[in-house]
Amino acid sequence: MTATATAAVTATAMTATAVTASTLTGFGAAVAEPATGAAVPFAPASLTASLHARAALVLDGNWQGASTVPSRSLYPHQWSWDSAFIAIGLRHLSPVRAQTELRTLFSSQWDDGRIPHIVFNPAVPHDAYFPSPDFWRSRTDGRPSGAPPVLQTSGIVQPPVHALAVWLTHRADPGLSRTEGFLRRAYPQLVSWHNYLLRHRDLGGGGLVSVVHPWEQGMDNSPCWDPPLSRVTPAPAGSFTRADLAHGAPEDRPTDLDYGRYVKLAMDYRDRGYVDGGGEFAVEDPSFNALLIASEHALGLIEAELGIDPAPRHVRAARLTRVLVDRLWDERHGVFLCRDVLTDELVEEHGVAGLLPLILPTLPEEVVARLVDTLTGPRFGLGSSTRLVPSYDLTGACFDPHRYWRGPAWFNVGWLVERGLRMHDRTGLAAGLREALITTAGSSDFAEYVDPFTGEACGAREFSWTAALTLDLLHRSEDAFVEIARSIRTAVHDRTTAHGAAAAHGAPTAGTPAATGTAPATPTV
């Protein structure tokens, strides 16, 4: 923690407990109450309140007036999925700021529907981060795909967790949301975003979305990318300068070889005018598609609030879940795998992305059970060898507890797994993970990621999504997820039953997902 933040926490130590308790009461939960069936002793109320105050200070310190940077030093611009996770925690402090966070991001949306993974702050020097705006050249090279004429952005995307963030932000203060027209304004932008992915990125033709760059999936140097990346000739050494090594230990970051390949893929995509298809890298990733499906369900909840029939949306999400299982589930190892679209082969590497479909409410119970076995087994060790979820197979040859996405535990991943476990009634395991996340967030100074065995901090400190998701865990908002899952399962069951009954009597069944795997038409905005 910085000296300023430390001093601020010290100055508020006498009042933090009272302020936080008052704030939490409005959400109907007391953070001091230990979770039922918890595997790890929980912190006293005073320490919990102090952690809440510290997390709030991190978000205040990284706030830029209309959005939040992930880290002032390492990531000095607005990142797409970071802002979604930040809004999920920020809604507990200020629903207005959470709404602003998302609106600022959505203002960068391209005409083709994509939401870029970085929105650049023009006040930040170009050499503060690489690749910089003059590398991406969105205002020129991106114009054929509808890049904004004024804002400078990247041209690739990140996981589509945004509809979920919008829905949870709305729930924090529904009255304010309705007054501000928050959902009504966000809805067409979210529909356009999902349509872009489902229509332009089904590069394998099987119904799932492909990523065209490792940065799009968010787990930049995961070993799952090694086989498809191996065919990419890296950009020449010396043709670019990495800014990340000035702020992080080289042994914690991707290698120069990996980075050279990232740069080459991004250059080629840019030089094609950011037109999808035809590149050297296209992968169907289970976590990216799972987050899209979860956000499809969230869009259904938004539609219900706006008076639009949500059933087609939930049915489409349930159909996409079945496609995900059909194309990426590996029964032998009990995990989802990536599919290299260019070879049409599954990648035999077990990354944490293969566990994240746990967040899907209509995932078959037999698949859920196998995923939980894998999560707690020797490959990920949750509850035995690790207290947090490692980003890669502990038994894999590429495992490294400190190198970015090749082993360390990340807080957004832990949050998603915790929510998935609760959604599927694994409450004891979820409680232990929740408490480990909260404890480690505090002890690591809200680190970007940590050693999964020791909790040693790696990467940036005072990282925004770590602070934001800690707040969400402290506010015990998991009931919202369980409630959402229950309503979605009911909606899908009712719709499926109605279609089955209509079909049995020869009646038309409009909106039934096509047997070919083609997504049904998106509801009209």
Side-chain angles (χ1 to χ4, degrees):
M1 177 172 286
T2 64
T4 300
T6 303
V9 171
T10 302
T12 58
M14 298 300 291
T15 59
T17 302
V19 170
T20 304
S22 173
T23 303
L24 291 179
T25 301
F27 294 88
V31 298
E33 180 184 346
T36 303
V40 182
F42 197 59
S46 59
L47 296 181
T48 301
S50 175
L51 185 62
H52 186 283
R54 288 173 56 198
L57 283 170
V58 169
L59 294 180
D60 283 347
N62 290 342
W63 175 249
Q64 303 294 294
S67 64
T68 309
V69 296
S71 161
R72 282 187 172 273
S73 58
L74 191 53
Y75 307 102
H77 302 285
Q78 184 179 25
W79 262 257
S80 174
W81 76 327
D82 289 74
S83 279
F85 287 120
I86 288 165
I88 288 171
L90 194 56
R91 66 194 174 109
H92 299 298
L93 300 176
S94 169
V96 171
R97 268 177 57 186
Q99 290 184 25
T100 302
E101 181 82 36
L102 295 168
R103 284 176 178 157
T104 301
L105 177 66
F106 297 161
S107 70
S108 71
Q109 187 170 33
W110 290 27
D111 291 344
D112 65 5
R114 82 182 74 193
I115 295 176
H117 97 295
I118 302 176
V119 183
F120 290 103
N121 180 352
V124 174
H126 280 200
D127 62 359
Y129 182 80
F130 178 84
S132 58
D134 52 359
F135 173 91
W136 295 103
R137 303 200 299 255
S138 64
R139 292 189 295 194
T140 54
D141 296 52
R143 288 307 297 153
S145 296
V150 177
L151 292 174
Q152 292 181 306
T153 75
S154 65
I156 60 175
V157 302
Q158 278 190 321
V161 69
H162 310 88
L164 180 60
V166 166
W167 176 247
L168 292 175
T169 297
H170 163 77
R171 284 179 56 95
D173 191 336
L176 172 68
S177 174
R178 292 174 188 133
T179 299
E180 295 293 322
F182 176 59
L183 292 186
R184 191 161 297 281
R185 284 197 277 176
Y187 176 68
Q189 296 171 305
L190 293 168
V191 169
S192 180
W193 168 219
H194 287 202
N195 285 348
Y196 163 74
L197 293 172
L198 291 166
R199 294 173 182 174
H200 293 271
R201 288 298 192 89
D202 182 9
L203 303 181
L208 295 183
V209 170
S210 295
V211 295
V212 299
H213 195 292
W215 288 340
E216 292 199 313
Q217 189 259 10
M219 303 180 187
D220 303 14
N221 69 332
S222 167
C224 299
W225 309 131
D226 290 357
L229 270 181
S230 66
R231 59 176 169 260
V232 178
T233 302
S239 64
F240 60 93
T241 301
R242 296 178 59 177
D244 61 315
L245 297 182
H247 304 285
E251 61 271 18
D252 291 354
R253 308 292 299 174
T255 65
D256 286 341
L257 177 61
D258 285 340
Y259 225 88
R261 287 172 168 151
Y262 304 153
V263 171
K264 180 62 162 55
L265 283 173
M267 289 172 59
D268 289 349
Y269 192 39
R270 177 199 67 198
D271 294 345
R272 296 197 308 273
Y274 297 109
V275 174
D276 295 309
E280 294 183 274
F281 186 95
V283 176
E284 293 173 355
D285 171 72
S287 65
F288 193 102
N289 280 279
L291 288 169
L292 173 61
I293 296 167
S295 278
E296 276 283 285
H297 281 306
L299 260 182
L301 298 171
I302 292 168
E303 287 169 340
E305 170 70 20
L306 295 176
I308 302 168
D309 179 11
R313 184 77 60 182
H314 290 310
V315 169
R316 178 163 82 171
R319 182 195 62 79
L320 287 169
T321 300
R322 294 192 296 272
V323 174
L324 180 70
V325 174
D326 289 345
R327 286 188 64 80
L328 302 185
W329 175 245
D330 179 20
E331 177 64 27
R332 184 163 60 99
H333 294 108
V335 70
F336 287 87
L337 300 177
C338 292
R339 180 178 293 275
D340 185 341
V341 170
L342 301 190
T343 64
D344 198 28
E345 295 177 350
L346 293 174
V347 179
E348 293 283 341
E349 293 286 357
H350 302 139
V352 73
L355 301 177
L356 293 189
L358 274 171
I359 64 172
L360 300 179
T362 64
L363 198 66
E365 171 56 29
E366 60 271 21
V367 174
V368 172
R370 291 295 308 282
L371 283 175
V372 173
D373 288 344
T374 301
L375 175 64
T376 57
R379 293 187 185 278
F380 292 91
L382 185 65
S384 54
S385 57
T386 65
R387 293 183 65 216
L388 300 174
V389 185
S391 52
Y392 178 66
D393 181 356
L394 299 173
T395 69
C398 298
F399 175 79
D400 183 330
H402 284 189
R403 193 176 286 279
Y404 219 44
W405 289 97
R406 300 178 84 86
W410 290 71
F411 289 87
N412 63 329
V413 166
W415 181 85
L416 288 166
V417 171
E418 193 268 355
R419 290 303 187 244
L421 290 170
R422 290 192 186 278
M423 183 179 288
H424 295 288
D425 299 321
R426 271 60 174 191
T427 54
L429 191 59
L433 177 56
R434 172 184 177 269
E435 295 185 9
L437 287 164
I438 290 172
T439 301
T440 307
S443 63
S444 70
D445 196 15
F446 303 102
E448 183 180 4
Y449 50 99
V450 298
D451 183 307
F453 299 116
T454 66
E456 177 188 348
C458 301
R461 309 303 192 269
E462 297 181 348
F463 199 70
S464 289
W465 78 26
T466 303
L469 296 176
T470 299
L471 285 173
D472 196 58
L473 292 169
L474 288 172
H475 279 264
R476 305 188 67 94
S477 63
E478 60 268 18
D479 288 348
F481 253 67
V482 175
E483 178 186 326
I484 289 170
R486 188 179 299 116
S487 65
I488 288 169
R489 290 177 187 132
T490 300
V492 171
H493 177 268
D494 291 349
R495 182 73 172 207
T496 304
T497 301
H499 277 276
H505 290 85
T509 55
T512 303
T516 61
T518 302
T522 302
T524 302
V525 179

